Amino acid sequence: GLLMVSCCLHGKAEAPVADLRPACSALGRQLGFELPRAALRKASLWAPGSSTSPGKCKSRLALRRLLELRGAARDRSKMHSTYPRLRGKGTGETEAFRAELLTDTLQRHGLPAPSSSELADAEAFARVAEPSFRRLELITPLIGDAVEMAISLDRATALEESGL
């Protein structure tokens, strides 16, 4: 039997694959075919802008800003549409709700609650960044399709090389 595992699962930090996913086929290895986790996360996904509410998008952008202000932001190359995780806290459709959500999330990260000026800065950043962020997310399905195709072709080549 053959088990095909979606690439988006391999994009998760806890996945049992190397950060640069090596090729399965000899030809792929010879050609240096490797994909980073960030690319694997794009596979099998709809455009996050189409499935993520504007409130959740703004909440994530505001939280990123607060983490940057606190010097606790992760490597920007690892930031994607679902980072940072909000863990079922709701969508944050209103500024008041978003302020509570951001405070809870920062405290869960072991950081003190944000000041009113930090919250205002984060809100302003999210309000300005959200439209362009959502437009850029429109290309996600295109990248995901290319990643899926490349991995499927590599797997098919590996099967062919093994005589299957």
Side-chain angles (χ1 to χ4, degrees):
L2 175 66
L3 174 64
M4 300 294 271
V5 179
S6 174
C7 301
C8 60
L9 297 176
H10 288 178
K12 295 184 181 289
E14 62 273 10
V17 295
D19 187 25
L20 280 177
R21 180 204 175 275
C24 294
S25 67
L27 177 61
R29 287 189 298 274
Q30 178 185 346
L31 295 173
F33 177 65
E34 294 179 328
L35 288 170
R37 273 188 209 280
L40 297 174
R41 271 194 300 271
K42 299 294 182 196
S44 299
L45 296 176
W46 290 97
S50 65
S51 62
T52 302
S53 72
K56 189 170 270 192
C57 183
K58 283 182 183 172
S59 294
R60 284 194 175 111
L61 290 169
L63 182 55
R64 286 181 192 181
R65 179 66 179 153
L66 285 173
L67 291 172
E68 286 174 2
L69 289 172
R70 299 286 177 88
R74 292 188 347 183
D75 177 359
R76 291 186 71 70
S77 69
K78 298 195 184 315
M79 290 189 178
H80 51 87
S81 62
T82 60
Y83 175 81
R85 295 181 64 193
L86 299 174
R87 296 198 180 152
K89 287 287 192 175
T91 61
E93 296 294 337
T94 66
E95 285 187 30
F97 182 83
R98 201 163 21 257
E100 182 181 326
L101 179 143
L102 295 171
T103 299
D104 289 349
T105 305
L106 280 181
Q107 289 175 335
R108 195 172 56 245
H109 284 272
L111 298 169
S115 68
S116 57
S117 64
E118 287 176 316
L119 285 172
D121 182 300
E123 274 296 322
F125 173 82
R127 195 172 23 263
V128 170
E130 192 252 347
S132 60
F133 181 82
R134 290 176 73 79
R135 282 191 299 274
L136 286 172
E137 289 279 306
L138 292 174
I139 63 171
T140 296
L142 301 175
I143 295 168
D145 289 348
V147 168
E148 285 284 348
M149 179 61 72
I151 289 175
S152 294
L153 290 171
D154 178 55
R155 289 173 176 166
T157 302
L159 291 172
E160 184 179 49
E161 289 170 352
S162 68
L164 296 176

